[in-house]
Amino acid sequence: MQVHHAQAVEMAMEIYRKTDDPELRVLSYDIATGQSAQRGEMFDWLVQWGVPQGGGDMMAWMSASDAGHDHGVPAGAAPLGQDQAMALMGMASGTELEQLRAAEGQEADCLFLDLMIRHHEGALPMADALLELGSDPRALQLAATIRTGQSAELDAMTSIQQRLGCG
């Protein structure tokens, strides 16, 4: 989830720097600061739990063969490649990030909204998996916060898309 949050912060700061839309500026700032704080919390957990910050199969933790639930990652499936895992998480490709960096004005605003909506939609199954499979109270609280916050942000982004006439 740290990789996922890092990309959200990167995209949010990109649009924050260049949007002229006050509502989108506030939303992007909230996304960047909120996810930076959550990412720091996740980093701390891994340190406290003695778990490496990286490596291993991305998203393998979301497979719960003993619980009979897969949250998009079937139990017993071959490990996902990085591109597959990133797509499943709704993450932007390198090309899409370059397009966002190059875009200006309403084109940039609409592209950001498209990418961040997909990104948030990819986060919800991860939050749900943690809520179902997790046991650490701090992790469960963060997952609930992510679920609630990103659902509200999805509504806000859809509303901004409609207002801007993104098509």
Side-chain angles (χ1 to χ4, degrees):
M1 289 178 89
Q2 284 185 319
V3 171
H4 194 261
H5 272 41
Q7 188 180 83
V9 171
E10 177 185 354
M11 291 191 301
M13 290 309 298
E14 180 66 31
I15 203 65
Y16 175 79
R17 285 189 290 273
K18 63 181 162 186
T19 189
D20 292 327
D21 187 272
E23 186 180 7
L24 187 53
R25 182 178 296 274
V26 168
L27 179 64
S28 63
Y29 182 81
D30 288 348
I31 290 169
T33 56
Q35 292 207 17
S36 289
Q38 291 170 355
R39 191 167 174 241
E41 190 170 353
M42 292 173 202
F43 182 91
D44 181 57
W45 297 340
L46 297 180
V47 169
Q48 289 183 27
W49 298 338
V51 177
Q53 294 296 320
D57 299 330
M58 288 180 76
M59 299 178 68
W61 65 273
M62 289 177 60
S63 173
S65 59
D66 58 335
H69 302 103
D70 63 34
H71 299 284
V73 182
L80 297 175
Q82 182 172 343
D83 290 343
Q84 289 175 302
M86 288 178 68
L88 192 58
M89 290 188 285
M91 292 179 67
S93 68
T95 300
E96 289 170 323
L97 292 174
E98 284 300 319
Q99 290 170 341
L100 180 61
R101 288 183 199 106
E104 296 292 333
Q106 184 175 348
E107 176 189 2
D109 292 350
C110 290
L111 180 56
F112 168 77
L113 290 165
D114 286 344
L115 295 174
M116 192 59 75
I117 286 170
R118 186 178 80 205
H119 199 270
H120 274 29
E121 288 171 343
L124 295 179
M126 289 189 284
D128 289 342
L130 184 52
L131 287 167
E132 183 175 329
L133 303 172
S135 60
D136 183 274
R138 298 166 302 162
L140 293 171
Q141 178 59 47
L142 182 61
T145 299
I146 289 170
R147 177 137 236 335
T148 301
Q150 291 197 13
S151 294
E153 289 170 355
L154 279 166
D155 291 343
M157 288 186 287
T158 301
S159 175
I160 295 170
Q161 269 186 324
Q162 292 170 351
R163 179 176 52 77
L164 294 177
C166 300

